[in-house]
């Protein structure tokens, strides 16, 4: 047991100086403006100075070399910090969202015990180390940019510190025009967001953490998501959803102050984080009807969103990040970006109406499936496909809800999409080495 | 975990959160200098321990684990252990019964000797510190202190983190008996354990005491956490 817990004390980086770096070194800004966190290795025994993702996925050819160290075996995202990792850090390939319900009569003491072991095990797993009672410790040896992010539902506050509960921490108002929520995907007392670039790492981390939580309650739901694999696209690229759309072009970024403002509630008039370093997460599970999407051709698809499918450029522009000209008209005097286009409806009307989107796709296996589902169907056809739409913002009522209300009223994309789950969580601040996540609630 | 045991768990009177030192186990790791462990505890003396933990239990028996290192230049022999949560603590070794393939725990009558600079692993399926008749509920996320007694008359106290664990279900075989099990021994703690041979306890083990409905109903008040 002890041997396996000493992994990564002699890791070497692959010699990839001539190869592109998938992730820049510590202190650099990523092309997308996701923030960097280096592993805080001291006290953990993780490979000191090894930075997340250093090396290149394209170094595969050198795998025959005895010097070769697989990139993800040393790729860590630091756990400790003022803010939790997994929000403004680059999204890894796989995301697992687990809502947990606390047992009835859960005490404040029990919540403290839960958070203490959760923090400790997360600290070790994210460093590529086996937690204290890990029975498959070898599986913990590949950190693969694993992050563990903890969120609180209302009950955590009700039990521990009712006076600290944010006003917005409750189910979103109903969006009657579009919602077809299934309670199977709604709400939850505690959220675990696990993200990693290796599916085995993720499965092991999930098992290890949930074993530790078993005595505290039950799993409410698990949403399993994925994006492009590690190394499949450049870190600067905006990901595509399974409709083929570039999804997430206008995001707050760590390259300027927008991440601090909109996600962490700093320097944004009228909006404040519920606690310093804290934020909120809205998870909307959105069914995407692939069959009816097939009925629309490319011009209609682009018209629905207001962006080109090829590169995500607004229909009024050339490049993805060109600013959309919502006032531009065509020769008929109609706006180029349609009144019902998604990007027009989602455009902020007030300064605060911006959110960080960090979505994951889902694509469930179907059996005995055939045929074509119809408009409005959320089952049927040959796919169960959609988006785990994750929106991070300091205040969901001020920032997220107005956008969602406009989209519920009018958005051509609603033709093919249906929200089937909704949950809101308060994300507590990060912690230091001698603290546990959420400890501030107990003081 | 079964609902019944959850209910019992939640019925246990809880300590004030303030009585729990937030990351007490981790606090003690800061100067341990052991790169393999974020949780370790040591006190003045020849021994240090990394990853010390104790299996959660509502009552009866449990066991403590960790890797003990002798930092001195002399061999150190652990001859026993004490703790305020149990008045009967034994050092155990585990052997696999060649007839059944199951692990059998036996008292380490010679103690554990650790050579200078060497480490001695206490792990499920191997050597461990066995606590009989635990007088309170050990809840995951709390911790407990155990003092190990050394041959030279000195002792050292370590803090063990309580964790849920489904393994460590070795059968306890006191003396020459291979039949009595840990939980059965606990339930018959007034008896001489040697008297229990030839009883059929094949279905009884650590898990039975902590997870069956009947055992849960007898969950004891929570142990004081250090």
């Amino acid at each position: 047991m002890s041997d396996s817990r000493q992994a990564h004390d002699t890791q070497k980086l692959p010699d990839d100086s001539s190869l592109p770096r998938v992730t820049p070194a510590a202190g650099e800004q990523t092309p997308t403006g996701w923030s960097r966190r280096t592993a805080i290795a001291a006290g953990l025994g993780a490979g000191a100075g090894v930075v997340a993702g250093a090396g290149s996925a394209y170094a595969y050819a050198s795998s025959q070399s005895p010097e070769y160290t697989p990139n993800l075996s040393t790729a860590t995202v630091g756990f400790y910090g003022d803010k939790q990792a997994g929000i403004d850090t680059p999204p890894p390939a796989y995301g697992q969202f687990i809502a947990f319900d606390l047992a009835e009569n859960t005490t404040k003491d029990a919540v403290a015990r839960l958070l203490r072991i959760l923090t400790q095990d997360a600290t070790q797993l994210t460093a590529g180390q086996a937690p204290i009672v890990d029975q498959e410790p070898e599986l913990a040896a590949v950190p693969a940019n694993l992050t563990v992010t903890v969120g609180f539902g209302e009950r955590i506050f009700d039990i521990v510190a009712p006076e600290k509960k944010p006003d917005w921490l409750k189910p979103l108002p109903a969006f009657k025009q579009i919602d077809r929520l299934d309670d199977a995907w709604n709400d939850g007392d505690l959220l675990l967001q696990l993200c990693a670039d290796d599916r085995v790492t993720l499965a092991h981390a999930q098992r290890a953490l949930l074993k530790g939580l078993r005595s505290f309650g039950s799993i409410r739901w698990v949403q399993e998501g994925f994006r492009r694999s590690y190394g499949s696209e450049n870190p600067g690229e905006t990901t595509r959803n399974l409709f083929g759309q570039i999804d997430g072009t206008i995001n707050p970024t760590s390259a300027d102050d927008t991440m601090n403002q909109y996600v962490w509630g700093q320097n944004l008039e009228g909006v404040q984080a519920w606690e310093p370093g804290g934020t909120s997460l809205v998870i909307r599970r959105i069914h995407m009807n692939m069959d009816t999407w097939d009925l629309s051709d490319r011009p209609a698809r682009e018209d629905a969103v207001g962006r080109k499918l090829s590169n995500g450029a607004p229909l009024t522009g050339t490049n993805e990040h060109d600013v959309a000209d919502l006032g531009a008209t065509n020769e008929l005097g109609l706006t180029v970006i349609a009144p019902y286009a998604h990007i027009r409806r989602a455009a902020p009307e007030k300064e605060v109406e911006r959110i960080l989107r960090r979505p994951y796709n889902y694509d469930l296996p179907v059996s005995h499936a055939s045929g074509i589902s119809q408009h409005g169907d959320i089952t049927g056809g040959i796919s169960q496909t959609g988006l785990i739409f994750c929106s991070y913002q300091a205040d969901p009522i001020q920032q997220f809800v107005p956008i969602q209300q406009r989209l519920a009223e009018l958005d051509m994309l609603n033709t093919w999409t249906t929200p089937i789950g909704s949950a809101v969580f308060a994300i507590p601040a990060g912690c230091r080495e001698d603290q546990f996540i959420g400890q501030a609630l107990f003081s | 975990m079964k609902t019944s045991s959850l209910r019992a768990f939640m019925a246990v009177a809880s300590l004030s959160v303030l009585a729990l030192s937030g990351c007490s186990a981790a606090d003690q790791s800061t100067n341990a200098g052991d790169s393999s462990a974020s949780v370790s505890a040591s006190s003045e003396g020849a021994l240090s321990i990394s990853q010390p933990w104790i299996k959660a239990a509502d009552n009866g028996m449990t066991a403590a684990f960790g890797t003990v290192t002798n930092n001195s230049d002399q061999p150190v022999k652990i001859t026993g252990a004490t703790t305020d949560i149990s008045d009967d603590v034994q050092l155990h070794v585990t052997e696999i019964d060649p007839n059944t393939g199951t692990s059998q725990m036996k008292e380490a009558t010679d103690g554990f000797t650790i050579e200078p600079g060497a480490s001695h692993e206490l792990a499920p399926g191997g050597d461990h510190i066995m606590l009989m008749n635990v007088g309170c509920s050990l809840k995951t996320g709390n911790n407990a202190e155990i003092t190990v007694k050394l041959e030279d008359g000195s002792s050292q106290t370590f803090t063990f983190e309580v964790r849920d664990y489904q393994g460590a279900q070795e059968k306890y075989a006191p003396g020459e008996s291979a039949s009595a099990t840990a939980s059965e021994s606990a339930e018959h703690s007034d008896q001489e354990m040697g008297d229990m041979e030839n009883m059929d306890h094949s279905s009884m083990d650590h898990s039975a005491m902590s997870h069956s409905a009947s055992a849960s109903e007898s969950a004891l008040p929570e142990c004081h956490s250090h």
Side-chain angles (χ1 to χ4, degrees):
Chain A
M1 194 180 298
S2 55
D3 287 348
S4 60
R5 293 192 175 132
Q6 292 169 0
H8 299 313
D9 52 354
T10 56
Q11 291 291 353
K12 288 175 185 162
L13 297 178
D15 179 13
D16 66 336
S17 52
S18 63
L19 294 160
R21 299 179 79 85
V22 166
T23 309
E28 292 176 19
Q29 200 58 242
T30 68
T32 43
W34 297 98
S35 82
R36 298 278 313 118
R37 294 166 78 105
T38 55
I40 300 173
L44 283 172
V50 173
V51 297
S56 164
Y58 305 109
Y60 184 76
S62 66
S63 64
Q64 302 305 313
S65 156
E67 299 293 314
Y68 179 73
T69 301
N71 298 323
L72 293 176
S73 71
T74 55
T76 57
V77 181
F79 181 83
Y80 297 114
D82 296 339
K83 296 146 187 164
Q84 289 194 70
I87 297 167
D88 62 8
T89 48
Y94 303 99
Q96 204 84 339
F97 301 83
I98 305 162
F100 192 83
D101 279 344
L102 297 171
E104 279 180 49
N105 307 319
T106 297
T107 62
K108 187 173 177 178
D109 159 58
V111 176
R113 290 191 287 111
L114 180 161
L115 292 172
R116 191 178 306 125
I117 62 171
L118 183 58
T119 301
Q120 186 182 316
D121 290 352
T123 301
Q124 296 195 272
L125 286 164
T126 54
Q129 296 182 331
I132 193 162
V133 291
D134 194 340
Q135 290 174 275
E136 293 83 28
E138 292 80 6
L139 297 182
V142 176
N145 291 316
L146 174 70
T147 54
V148 177
T149 314
V150 179
F152 295 160
E154 283 188 81
R155 271 193 75 211
I156 297 270
F157 291 91
D158 293 343
I159 293 166
V160 177
E163 74 283 0
K164 292 183 178 169
K165 181 161 74 175
D167 293 338
W168 45 254
L169 185 56
K170 54 193 171 196
L172 296 178
F175 303 101
K176 292 193 175 104
Q177 306 95 325
I178 53 172
D179 280 358
R180 291 179 64 187
L181 304 184
D182 178 344
D183 206 38
W185 304 115
N186 290 342
D187 310 329
D189 296 341
L190 176 76
L191 175 81
L192 297 188
Q193 174 194 295
L194 314 183
C195 298
D197 279 315
D198 183 292
R199 192 63 185 81
V200 174
T201 298
L202 196 63
H204 174 67
Q206 178 175 349
R207 173 74 189 169
L209 294 173
L210 290 180
K211 277 163 77 167
L213 297 191
R214 185 153 40 194
S215 66
F216 296 100
S218 54
I219 298 164
R220 183 182 179 89
W221 47 253
V222 178
Q223 302 196 42
E224 196 175 21
F226 61 92
R227 303 163 67 104
R228 286 280 190 194
S229 286
Y230 180 86
S232 285
E233 60 186 20
N234 289 321
E237 283 182 54
T238 312
T239 195
R240 286 182 188 268
N241 62 35
L242 293 173
F243 275 170
Q245 300 161 324
I246 287 189
D247 193 343
T249 295
I250 301 181
N251 250 347
T253 168
S254 297
D256 54 30
D257 201 36
T258 50
M259 191 75 83
N260 277 334
Q261 288 180 297
Y262 298 103
V263 176
W264 307 115
Q266 297 166 355
N267 312 319
L268 182 60
E269 199 179 333
V271 170
Q272 215 173 344
W274 71 272
E275 70 169 4
T279 186
S280 76
L281 167 58
V282 173
I283 301 179
R284 303 274 290 173
R285 187 172 180 86
I286 299 174
H287 173 75
M288 291 161 49
N289 191 322
M290 301 301 290
D291 288 339
T292 54
W293 184 243
D294 284 348
L295 302 178
S296 56
D297 300 319
R298 282 177 81 88
R301 293 178 177 197
E302 294 184 334
D303 184 54
V305 175
R307 289 189 182 278
K308 295 173 184 170
L309 287 163
S310 58
N311 65 355
L315 296 181
T316 56
T318 310
N319 298 308
E320 181 194 348
H321 293 281
D322 290 347
V323 175
D325 183 354
L326 297 176
T329 53
N330 59 19
E331 61 277 11
L332 300 173
L334 304 173
T335 53
V336 175
I337 294 171
Y340 47 73
H342 181 77
I343 64 167
R344 176 184 295 280
R345 301 295 297 167
E349 290 187 353
K350 290 183 183 162
E351 166 65 20
V352 299
E353 293 173 10
R354 285 186 64 183
I355 56 178
L356 175 70
R357 292 166 289 162
R358 199 176 188 267
Y360 279 86
N361 305 303
Y362 72 83
D363 190 32
L364 304 183
V366 293
S367 300
H368 310 295
S370 63
I372 296 173
S373 63
Q374 304 300 310
H375 275 298
D377 289 352
I378 54 174
T379 58
I382 54 168
S383 295
Q384 271 296 323
T385 297
L387 198 65
I388 306 167
F389 182 85
C390 300
S391 172
Y392 305 81
Q393 57 282 306
D395 181 336
I397 295 296
Q398 289 195 70
Q399 297 175 260
F400 176 87
V401 168
I403 302 170
Q404 181 65 82
Q405 269 165 348
R406 282 196 299 278
L407 295 176
E409 286 160 14
L410 179 63
D411 173 9
M412 187 55 87
L413 265 188
N414 294 340
T415 306
W416 305 279
T417 61
T418 309
I420 57 173
S422 184
V424 182
F425 298 98
I427 307 292
C431 76
R432 297 192 312 259
E433 218 175 315
D434 58 348
Q435 297 174 322
F436 60 83
I437 295 290
Q439 192 166 343
L441 290 192
F442 295 86
S443 58
Chain B
M1 180 171 284
K2 291 169 186 159
T3 311
S4 55
S5 63
L6 272 178
R7 209 174 288 131
F9 158 65
M10 292 308 166
V12 169
S14 66
L15 294 171
S16 156
V17 164
L18 296 176
L20 302 166
S21 48
C23 267
S24 57
D27 289 346
Q28 294 171 40
S29 70
T30 48
N31 57 3
D34 184 333
S35 65
S36 71
S38 72
V39 183
S40 59
S42 64
S43 52
E44 291 300 310
L47 302 181
S48 61
I49 188 167
S50 67
Q51 303 269 31
W53 65 281
I54 183 167
K55 180 174 166 172
D58 284 342
N59 55 33
M61 284 196 172
T62 191
F65 310 98
T67 301
V68 185
T69 300
N70 177 4
N71 303 304
S72 76
D73 54 9
Q74 300 291 322
V76 172
K77 183 172 177 179
I78 301 174
T79 56
T82 59
T83 172
D84 59 8
I85 58 172
S86 164
D87 55 10
D88 187 2
V89 183
Q90 300 177 3
L91 305 180
H92 275 191
V93 296
T94 304
E95 294 169 357
I96 294 175
D97 183 327
N99 297 318
T100 65
T102 55
S103 295
Q104 306 284 343
M105 298 185 281
K106 290 181 178 171
E107 190 157 8
T109 48
D110 257 0
F112 300 138
T113 300
I114 312 174
E115 296 301 318
S119 291
H120 190 95
E121 189 176 24
L122 307 175
D127 297 350
H128 57 270
I129 300 170
M130 191 81 195
L131 284 68
M132 319 290 194
N133 309 329
V134 173
C136 50
S137 243
L138 284 165
K139 296 295 187 194
T140 187
N142 281 337
N143 51 47
E145 287 187 347
I146 296 174
T147 301
V148 296
K149 295 183 292 188
L150 308 182
E151 193 175 34
D152 67 2
S154 68
S155 65
Q156 276 188 262
T157 300
F158 299 113
T159 301
F160 290 72
E161 185 179 351
V162 182
R163 286 305 192 109
D164 279 332
Y165 192 76
Q166 302 305 306
Q169 305 213 0
E170 299 85 355
K171 303 262 188 285
Y172 180 43
E176 297 305 309
S177 166
S179 59
T181 67
S183 60
E184 191 68 2
S185 302
E187 287 162 16
H188 295 80
S189 55
D190 293 339
Q191 287 182 254
E192 276 296 307
M193 283 184 272
D195 292 343
M196 295 171 63
E197 56 192 332
N198 302 323
M199 295 170 65
D200 177 13
H201 305 302
S202 55
S203 67
M204 313 291 280
D205 55 29
H206 289 194
S207 67
M209 71 186 177
S210 55
H211 298 294
S212 72
S214 60
S216 300
E217 282 158 15
S218 60
L220 297 167
E222 201 167 320
C223 299
H224 173 70
S225 195
H226 291 271

